[in-house]
Amino acid sequence: MTAALSAQITPSATKKWASAALMTTLAFGLIACGSQKQTNTDGSVSTVDSHNVQLLNVSYDISRDFYKAYNPLFVAQYKAAHPDSNISISQSHGGSSKQALSVANGLQADVVTMNQGSDVALLEKKGLVANNWAEAFDNHAVPFTSTTVFLVRKGNPKQIKDWNDLTQPGLELIIANPKASGSGRYSFLGAYGYGLHAFNNDEDKTKAFVKSLLGNVKVYENGGRAATTTFVQRNIGDVLITFENEANLAANKFGKGQVEIVYPSYSVQSENPVAVVTSVTDKKGTTAPAAEYLEYLWSTPAQQLAADLYLRPSVASVLEANSDKLPAMDTFRANDVFGSWDEIMSKFFAEGGVFDQLASSQNKPQ
């Protein structure tokens, strides 16, 4: 490995990527005008411009605020480490699963930063990311997490305290569409997991509870941010079920003074996995900077930025330092309760699955 490559990858990233076989052979030969020859993971060789790097981060919709602030942090860090190089990052945001499908269908993402493991697994099955992408970074490639909470109108006029309150007659709920959005899936799984918890794993009682809750859904939006807009700006609905970080953004920024957050007694932990799309980066010659871009998510500045935006850092010391705004919660991992994401998707969200069976025919999303 040349000195030029060694300077591009942090020691921890080098170790992880070597062990994950994501950079099996990255031999660079320097040539004129800032270009380099890169041997890709499939053995092919390409010539790349190491002085002007452009990355595309394809992500879920309500992560836009984090990455809008994170990208300048990373650019400054990258420029300090590589003074002869320029780097720019573009962002693409939408419903997590729709974004994954866009990448699967040809959108040239260098990295994906999703809110559900199944979306990265889809790209793994397509051969677009490495089979062992989850071992490439710490904490199974999850730099931060969130959880599902409720956003209610100021003063909590409906007296919402927990999941069971969401079944009261006449209540209007807003959630993202579980068929297309990670936010919506976590909302559904949070309700279902609460039901199993409250009814001692009685599936029949749990299904009856979730069916009653879904009967109160007024709008299934395309994604988490669209659901927030409907609730806060269009003033539709009594309760928005959403991620903790999105609820805090609404309560402290564009919905300040109009809404407040309710923390349920038991909720689902949402995970935000990241991966390099090596099928793209090998061709572009951006595998190393793309890995560096994701690796920096575990840095103290990035972890603190996550906490500032009410995402729960994976680095324990940073999470503990922000306990005042990220209160301890009783949560469960979807995979611990429901199995792998393949099993979850097949059982709950496939055509004719549990969600379709329980959603009211009058308001079922298309």
Side-chain angles (χ1 to χ4, degrees), residues 50-70:
S50 62
H51 282 186
N52 294 286
V53 180
Q54 295 180 327
L55 302 179
L56 173 60
N57 174 11
V58 174
S59 191
Y60 62 104
D61 58 351
I62 62 177
S63 69
R64 71 186 74 233
D65 301 289
F66 173 81
Y67 285 106
K68 183 179 179 180
Y70 170 75

Side-chain angles (χ1 to χ4, degrees), residues 25 55 69 71 150 167 188 207-208 225 228 245 252 258 261 349 358:
T25 308
L55 302 179
N71 289 341
F150 314 141
T167 63
F188 177 88
K207 287 182 178 179
R225 179 54 55 85
T228 303
N245 56 303
N252 294 299
Q258 305 172 41
I261 300 171
F349 304 115
L358 300 181

